[in-house]
Amino acid sequence: MIKAVVFDVDGVLVVNKEIFSEMYSKKHGIPTSELTPFFTGPFQDCLTGKVDLKTILETEIHRFKHKGTIDEFLEIWFKSEHNIAEDIIDLVKELKHKGLIVAIATNQEE
């Protein structure tokens, strides 16, 4: 008998038509090849809590050619990925109503 269901955030509870790096690349005319080293390198330590995202962006923000502050950049990033999958939220509510334990397990920056 199933007693608990665990959901991931990215791609399950939050869905996006395209990932941030691709969207940002198109909008700002920056080749994704210039952004990929950040996401496959230093950002990975942010996902595991080894490094704070704001701290790592102090040395990496140049890749994005962003003219504003790091906080402004993060606001753009996080708002672009704030598309809640309402159908999955409804499923979560249904599962909880049936008495199942519902949890999130995900790797996210702090």
Side-chain angles (χ1 to χ4, degrees), residues 14-109:
V14 176
V15 292
N16 299 303
K17 293 179 182 174
E18 62 185 340
I19 61 173
F20 173 72
S21 60
E22 293 172 356
M23 179 276 302
Y24 195 89
S25 171
K26 288 177 188 174
K27 186 173 182 178
H28 297 281
I30 303 169
T32 54
S33 61
E34 291 183 26
L35 303 179
T36 299
F38 168 74
F39 290 103
T40 59
F43 182 64
Q44 295 303 304
D45 285 339
C46 298
L47 292 177
T48 58
K50 293 178 186 170
V51 179
D52 178 72
L53 180 57
K54 284 185 180 182
T55 301
I56 204 71
L57 280 173
E58 290 174 6
T59 59
E60 295 290 326
I61 194 79
H62 68 278
R63 294 181 189 276
F64 297 90
K65 298 178 175 61
H66 179 71
K67 303 289 186 216
T69 67
I70 289 173
D71 285 333
E72 290 167 339
F73 175 77
L74 290 174
E75 185 175 341
I76 292 165
W77 181 352
F78 296 151
K79 281 186 177 181
S80 76
E81 295 184 338
H82 189 74
N83 302 303
I84 307 298
E86 295 298 334
D87 57 334
I88 302 299
I89 299 300
D90 290 342
L91 175 60
V92 167
K93 291 176 185 175
E94 180 183 333
L95 294 171
K96 286 183 75 166
H97 180 74
K98 291 180 177 181
L100 276 76
I101 296 169
V102 180
I104 295 173
T106 190
N107 59 344
Q108 297 289 325
E109 63 286 335

